[in-house]
Amino acid sequence: MHRFAAALAALCLAAAGTTAVVTAGPAAAAPACDVGYRVNQWQTGFTAEITVTNGATALTSWALTWHYAGNQSVTSGWNATVRQTGTAVTAESLPYNAALPAGGVASFGLQGTYSGTNAEPVDFALNGVVCGDTAPPVTTPPTTPTTTTSAPPPAGCTDATFCDDFEQQTGSAPAGRWTVGAANCQGTGTVSVDTTVAHSGTRSVKVAGGGNYCNHAFFGTSVPGSGVLYGRFWVRHTTPLPAGHVTFMALRDTADGGRDLRAGGQNQALQWNRESDDATLPAQSPAGVAQSVPLPTGAWSCFEFAIDGAAGQLRTWLGATEVPGLVVDGVPTPDIDQQWLGRAWHPAVTDLRLGWESYGSDADTLWFDDVAIGSGRIGC
């Protein structure tokens, strides 16, 4: 069984101001998981049997992620939903093996192709937390309290499960919990860390999205797969939402065959779109579009959403004001969610991707900052 050094980096910094810091006592890091990766390979292909042993926290659903160092390409999987974007691979639980108790074990497999070397991955993470051994206890003698000045936290991070203002990003593209890529095809679209435009601090993520479908570009991360999911991010873009359909946020819905729940625009106003049946929210009638709003250009806008999978409900805010045309409340409303509620809908989203996807010739340049996910409304 292969083990990897545990690492867990805090995404939300301490609150701004002057604090007293006392160093004391022994501390040890608990592993999130251990992973076994057993390969059977031939000249151009391979299979891998993967076993993940959970740590001390019981899970109601799980997603194991890793990266390949070579040109390995996953072609199929079993006992998990396995998908690949570039070198990044995600294996997600199925309904019958989603519950993983503390110390519990889940096994799944995949088949793939490769050429050259077929090195085993070394960066497994379970639900976003790096797997590895328990670090040995480190004892530090007590010291006299010292006064330090902490850095300000990312905006609105108080009750978030995770939040990121990208100030810790030092590379040319977002890394750490973030993976850059596109699910289907990639062209001229790019994702980069920008030090010239930011909502807070000095960094944001810039997405240069090209026109036409294969020029889309996203950066994404896994999110909790149960309960009500609240999200918040700040977005700035340069070109008004077009008449054609575009997307700037996508969430994979495992309850809808792994298809995307998408937020973006059409007919020059914000809309939600369900990939599986192309349902829109609001309905794309003049009366429906009038219940939505455009996304301002040349300025930072706060976009918030809440997804209640159990109730089949959805809410959306722009600049802290709820958008009436972007609400699914379970009661069909003509020109808004009547089409959306034409069939049962109970989403279970497992990732968050921000970027640009155009289904026509529309291009845009966007910046994203202060991204937060939580179990309660985070606010602007």
Side-chain angles (χ1 to χ4, degrees):
M1 180 175 289
H2 302 272
R3 295 176 177 267
F4 308 93
L8 178 59
L11 290 170
C12 297
L13 304 178
T18 301
T19 57
V21 178
V22 179
T23 304
C33 62
D34 288 324
V35 175
Y37 185 92
R38 188 177 66 181
V39 175
N40 177 33
Q41 68 183 50
W42 53 97
Q43 186 174 7
T44 60
F46 70 100
T47 61
E49 292 286 345
I50 303 170
T51 301
V52 54
T53 303
N54 189 25
T57 303
L59 304 175
T60 57
S61 64
W62 53 267
L64 187 72
T65 59
W66 67 90
H67 291 78
Y68 281 122
N71 62 357
Q72 295 97 326
S73 178
V74 175
T75 57
S76 63
W78 54 93
N79 291 336
T81 300
V82 185
R83 56 191 175 86
Q84 181 173 5
T85 302
T87 61
V89 183
T90 300
E92 294 178 324
S93 57
L94 296 172
Y96 62 81
N97 64 1
L100 193 58
V105 178
S107 298
F108 64 94
L110 61 86
Q111 183 167 334
T113 61
Y114 77 101
S115 62
T117 60
N118 185 22
E120 297 180 8
V122 296
D123 63 344
F124 291 102
L126 182 63
N127 286 9
V129 182
V130 176
C131 299
D133 296 328
T134 301
V138 177
T139 302
T140 304
T143 61
T144 303
T146 58
T147 300
T148 63
T149 301
S150 59
C157 285
T158 305
D159 298 317
T161 303
F162 83 78
C163 55
D164 201 343
D165 59 0
F166 307 111
E167 296 303 296
Q168 306 304 311
Q169 298 288 339
T170 58
S172 59
R177 72 159 43 246
W178 301 101
T179 299
V180 175
N184 300 305
C185 54
Q186 295 175 262
T188 62
T190 61
V191 178
S192 60
V193 175
D194 194 339
T195 58
T196 63
V197 177
H199 172 255
S200 68
T202 61
R203 286 175 169 82
S204 67
V205 174
K206 178 182 179 180
V207 176
N212 299 318
Y213 182 67
C214 277
N215 291 326
H216 56 212
F218 286 88
F219 65 105
T221 185
S222 61
V223 298
S226 60
V228 182
L229 181 73
Y230 287 81
R232 191 284 317 275
F233 58 87
W234 289 82
V235 59
R236 180 188 181 107
H237 72 139
T238 54
T239 304
L241 292 175
H245 181 200
V246 296
T247 292
F248 56 72
M249 178 179 72
L251 306 103
R252 186 170 185 268
D253 184 359
T254 58
D256 198 12
R259 309 301 289 272
D260 282 344
L261 173 63
R262 306 183 287 204
Q266 190 169 356
N267 287 319
Q268 303 176 331
L270 292 170
Q271 77 158 11
W272 287 89
N273 174 270
R274 193 164 55 200
E275 182 186 13
S276 61
D277 59 358
D278 207 32
T280 65
L281 181 77
Q284 293 302 294
S285 63
V289 173
Q291 296 298 310
S292 185
V293 294
L295 184 66
T297 59
W300 286 100
S301 297
C302 179
F303 187 93
E304 297 179 85
F305 62 91
I307 301 171
D308 186 339
Q313 297 182 0
L314 172 66
R315 299 177 65 187
T316 316
W317 300 264
L318 186 68
T321 299
E322 189 164 54
V323 182
L326 303 180
V327 174
V328 178
D329 59 8
V331 180
T333 303
D335 293 310
I336 297 181
D337 61 353
Q338 188 174 33
Q339 176 193 28
W340 196 272
L341 293 174
R343 64 175 175 83
W345 181 66
H346 295 282
V349 299
T350 56
D351 72 359
L352 165 72
R353 282 164 282 137
L354 301 171
W356 183 252
E357 187 168 287
S358 173
Y359 311 99
S361 58
D362 303 295
D364 201 355
T365 300
L366 309 93
W367 291 264
F368 296 91
D369 204 353
D370 295 318
V371 181
I373 291 292
S375 58
R377 188 175 173 187
I378 300 161
C380 297

